[in-house]
Amino acid sequence: TVCFILDSNAVPLLCAGNEVFERVTELREQKIEDQETIIKLQQNVIEKSNENFQSVKSTVQEELKSYSSVLTKSCSSALSSKKLEAVVKKVAVTEEMSKNAIVYGL
């Protein structure tokens, strides 16, 4: 009777436990594979982000150089010595004219 009880109850449970253990092991292996895939994809995302960052960085540097050269050219032409001399002369003449007074009459 003890053997019958063990055979009818314990052995099927042990077999079912073994099947569950195998399934858990299989799921663990799949989880590890999935995690490896996730890590590879995250590395790809990081690489692409770095590439985009480098691209933006180089574009900004090039545009700053372009803007700087345009600004330098426009400022140098705007502040050329001839233009400054002309402005100073104009201001000097205007000041002289404001000091001159014309008296009519007498």
Side-chain angles (χ1 to χ4, degrees):
T1 60
V2 172
C3 289
F4 175 75
I5 294 172
L6 287 175
D7 285 342
S8 63
N9 294 319
V11 173
L13 287 174
L14 287 174
C15 291
N18 191 27
E19 291 173 6
V20 169
F21 177 76
E22 289 174 0
R23 179 69 179 143
V24 168
T25 303
E26 181 182 321
L27 290 173
R28 279 187 190 149
E29 290 172 359
Q30 285 180 348
K31 180 181 178 185
I32 291 170
E33 290 173 4
D34 290 344
Q35 287 174 336
E36 289 172 351
T37 303
I38 289 170
I39 290 170
K40 288 177 185 176
L41 291 173
Q42 287 174 336
Q43 288 172 344
N44 288 342
V45 167
I46 290 170
E47 288 173 8
K48 294 297 180 187
S49 295
N50 286 338
E51 289 175 10
N52 289 339
F53 175 73
Q54 290 301 326
S55 173
V56 168
K57 181 180 175 183
S58 66
T59 302
V60 167
Q61 286 176 343
E62 290 172 10
E63 292 301 320
L64 280 177
K65 288 178 185 175
S66 308
Y67 181 73
S68 175
S69 66
V70 166
L71 189 61
T72 302
K73 288 177 185 175
S74 66
C75 284
S76 65
S77 65
L79 299 175
S80 67
S81 61
K82 289 181 181 181
K83 287 187 178 184
L84 287 175
E85 287 175 18
V87 169
V88 169
K89 283 182 184 178
K90 187 175 181 181
V91 169
V93 168
T94 305
E95 283 184 15
E96 272 185 37
M97 291 175 70
S98 68
K99 291 180 183 177
N100 292 336
I102 301 176
V103 177
Y104 293 101
L106 289 183

